[in-house]
Amino acid sequence: MTTNTNTIIADLNRTLSDVIQFLDSNGHSDTKTRRVVDMVLNHDASYERAVFVANKEDKINEGYINA
C-alpha cells in the first residue's frame, strides 16, 4: 500500500476540521484545546508552538479575570 503525502495531509486537515466542529457543537469553542487545533489547522503552527501560544493566552486571560 502506497500512501501519498498529500493524501495524509488532506486526511489530517479533514480530521482537525471535524474536531473543531465537534468542540464547537459541544460547548468547547472557548478552550485551550480548541485554540491549539485551530492554530495547527489554520495558521500553520506546529503543535509545540500552538500549545506555547495557547498557554500564554491563558495566562493573559487569567490576569483580566482576576483583575
Side-chain angles (χ1 to χ4, degrees):
M1 177 176 154
T2 302
T3 305
N4 180 319
T5 301
N6 291 332
T7 301
I8 293 170
I9 291 169
D11 287 347
L12 291 172
N13 283 339
R14 280 193 300 269
T15 302
L16 290 174
S17 293
D18 287 349
V19 169
I20 285 176
Q21 289 175 1
F22 172 82
L23 291 170
D24 288 351
S25 66
N26 288 286
H28 300 287
S29 58
D30 192 26
T31 63
K32 185 167 63 171
T33 299
R34 168 60 164 85
R35 182 71 176 121
V36 168
V37 173
D38 178 63
M39 283 189 278
V40 170
L41 178 64
N42 296 313
H43 304 287
D44 295 326
S46 69
Y47 173 77
E48 291 81 13
R49 178 70 181 158
V51 170
F52 175 80
V53 170
N55 285 335
K56 284 285 196 183
E57 289 173 347
D58 273 355
K59 287 184 182 188
I60 290 168
N61 290 336
E62 283 177 8
Y64 288 120
I65 293 168
N66 294 329

